[in-house]
Amino acid sequence: MAAHKLLLLPGDGIGPEVMAEVKRVIDFMNDRGFAQFAIEEALVGGCCYDAYGVAITEDTMANAKAADVILFGAVGGPKWDGVPYDQRPEAGLLRLRKELGLFANIRPAVCYPALADSSSLKREVVEGLDIIILRELTGGVYFGEPKTITDLGNGQKRAVDTQVYDTYEIERIARVGFELARKRRNKVTSTEKRNVMKTGVLWNEVVAQVHRREFPDVQLEHQLADACGMQLVRWPKQFDVIVCDNLFGDMLSDVAAMLTGSLGMLPSASLGEVDPKTAKNRALFEPVHGSAPDIAGKGVANPIAMIASFGMALRYSLGMGREADLVDQAIAAALAKGLRTADIKSDGTTVIGTAEMGTTIIGEMERLAT
Ligand SMILES: NC(=O)c1ccc[n+]([C@@H]2O[C@H](COP(=O)([O-])OP(=O)(O)OC[C@H]3O[C@@H](n4cnc5c(N)ncnc54)[C@H](O)[C@@H]3O)[C@@H](O)[C@H]2O)c1
């Protein structure tokens, strides 16, 4: 069995704490012969700045390009608020996204039955929810040029951001959406603002063309992004895969996040183009949450988002769907036992720490696998 090369970048704050639990899951899977994982680990973010004066080193970039999968914890914290802009902790993550061409950000919003009461919406609205927000990650208004603030000289300034999309950028994200939908409930909702934005007109047109040409078997609907936001909180179960540009995806994925109850529960994947020679694509998996400096070092962080991110790596990069199901089922089983980290506690449940949650999930994997 060839070893899968995993690069672990725990980062700052609670990053190393939640990554430690993933390492235990990986060790468990290696020991039990599920797969062979070869692990490398490196610094990223603030801790890397402290050690090397940069947010990510050239060596780590080279390792990231050679790895089958990158697992990223979280970066940042008040300690590095004053470092030069180019070396701020987030610069390490942005460089990885850019140089690896990670254009497709997959954020599942899954509401585990045991947590349905933690959502701000009614149980019947969110219970059993399982949708994906697919966000375009490398284009659009966050990167478009010109991007300026000009002093107009009359006491006024003018700020300009540019929303720009080329056909190929829309085609490739649409394809990821349709492919995902085919493996799920076969429905894609494409969102834009074609009523007021030219990029919305093109987005709508190109998604419809890709659908007609390559994925006529998948159900496609179009929604204006603002209407989609409203529908997400009204009846989220109507969706399967929602495809959005960078800006709308940023907002809609945060809305979807809150449907599920807690930030500590949400994994994500960022995928690059498939290499035609190897049929593999570069991929980075990370929890949606940040480095949570307020609870770092206390052993109370919820490791589920990080462990579920590893589950996504198994599913989307390593072709190990069965093992990914096992991880997801073990998480659900741990919650069903009434065990919770502090962020998701509710009446009648028992609060446990980061390592205990890891132990419980591994125990459930063991039980479910035998
Ligand atoms: N991708 C990343 O690395 C990333 C993403 C977001 C924020 N950040 C950085 O993280 C730092 C803190 O940012 P923030 O406070 O806005 O966001 P955050 O996600 O770190 O924390 C928000 C709140 O959620 C809680 N929380 C987050 N993850 C949790 C977990 N796994 N278990 C239990 N509770 C959890 C925190 O304790 C905090 O109260 C900042 O420096 C920010 O720049 C990094």
Side-chain angles (χ1 to χ4, degrees):
M1 198 173 358
H4 298 297
K5 275 197 267 178
L6 310 183
L7 175 64
L8 272 44
L9 301 173
D12 308 315
I14 63 167
E17 297 172 43
V18 293
M19 190 68 86
E21 300 314 307
V22 169
K23 279 197 259 179
R24 293 175 61 207
V25 173
I26 293 170
D27 288 345
F28 166 79
M29 293 182 77
N30 273 341
D31 289 348
R32 290 302 146 93
F34 281 107
Q36 219 186 314
F37 296 114
I39 294 183
E40 283 203 51
E41 195 169 326
L43 299 178
V44 70
C47 58
C48 187
Y49 178 79
D50 288 347
Y52 303 108
V54 288
I56 190 162
T57 65
E58 297 307 323
D59 272 359
T60 304
M61 283 305 302
N63 281 346
K65 286 174 187 166
D68 291 317
V69 157
I70 303 162
L71 294 174
F72 190 97
V75 292
K79 181 179 176 197
W80 299 283
D81 280 351
V83 307
Y85 184 78
D86 285 347
Q87 298 309 338
R88 70 199 189 286
E90 291 79 3
L93 179 58
L94 294 180
R95 185 166 172 206
L96 281 164
R97 283 182 184 161
K98 189 161 175 234
E99 291 193 19
L100 302 183
L102 304 176
F103 68 92
N105 184 229
I106 303 174
R107 277 210 204 178
V110 173
C111 185
Y112 292 91
L115 291 186
D117 291 324
S118 310
S119 170
S120 50
L121 298 191
K122 292 190 199 108
R123 173 176 270 273
E124 65 265 28
V125 176
V126 293
E127 190 172 19
L129 179 74
D130 176 6
I131 62 174
I132 283 182
I133 309 284
L134 176 64
R135 169 185 171 194
E136 199 290 326
L137 202 58
T138 52
V141 75
Y142 292 171
F143 296 99
E145 295 288 346
K147 194 175 201 45
T148 53
I149 298 180
T150 310
D151 196 331
L152 299 178
N154 56 355
Q156 297 284 306
K157 289 182 181 175
R158 177 171 297 149
V160 176
D161 290 295
T162 305
Q163 165 85 340
V164 52
Y165 272 108
D166 289 356
T167 306
Y168 81 94
E169 294 174 287
I170 306 170
E171 281 176 344
R172 66 183 182 181
I173 192 78
R175 279 191 194 107
V176 174
F178 288 122
E179 298 278 8
L180 279 173
R182 269 187 181 158
K183 295 182 196 138
R184 297 167 47 88
R185 297 188 299 281
N186 217 34
K187 178 177 172 187
V188 166
T189 304
S190 169
T191 64
E192 28 59 20
K193 288 284 287 174
R194 64 186 176 283
N195 52 340
V196 285
M197 295 172 77
K198 289 295 181 197
T199 45
V201 173
L202 185 68
W203 184 280
N204 181 279
E205 206 175 282
V206 173
V207 173
Q209 281 165 2
V210 172
H211 176 246
R212 258 197 315 276
R213 256 191 341 246
E214 300 169 40
F215 300 91
D217 53 302
V218 180
Q219 186 192 343
L220 170 67
E221 68 171 11
H222 301 275
Q223 279 191 10
L224 295 176
D226 50 340
C228 182
M230 190 262 286
Q231 291 296 337
L232 257 180
V233 290
R234 193 186 71 83
W235 190 245
K237 287 190 236 176
Q238 68 184 279
F239 297 109
D240 180 14
V241 177
I242 302 177
V243 184
C244 356
D245 75 7
N246 204 341
L247 174 66
F248 297 138
D250 198 359
M251 290 189 274
L252 294 177
S253 59
D254 271 21
V255 173
M258 282 326 292
L259 302 176
T260 66
S262 165
L263 216 46
M265 298 295 302
L266 294 164
S268 80
S270 300
L271 309 180
E273 300 247 35
V274 176
D275 180 334
K277 278 195 216 131
T278 61
K280 285 185 178 176
N281 54 354
R282 297 221 167 104
L284 180 147
F285 300 84
E286 58 177 325
V288 169
H289 63 73
S291 58
D294 53 333
I295 56 165
K298 296 184 180 160
V300 299
N302 185 347
I304 292 179
M306 189 73 242
I307 293 174
S309 298
F310 175 60
M312 289 187 81
L314 297 173
R315 191 182 304 286
Y316 293 111
S317 277
L318 303 176
M320 298 173 68
R322 224 158 29 118
E323 290 76 4
D325 288 344
L326 183 64
V327 171
D328 289 346
Q329 286 159 8
I331 292 170
L335 296 170
K337 284 175 119 174
L339 301 175
R340 303 279 190 278
T341 43
D343 57 314
I344 50 172
K345 70 168 187 263
S346 57
D347 290 348
T349 60
T350 306
V351 174
I352 57 175
T354 311
E356 287 165 288
M357 184 55 92
T359 304
T360 307
I361 291 169
I362 292 167
E364 289 301 319
M365 284 178 74
E366 170 104 74
R367 186 181 65 77
L368 290 162
T370 47

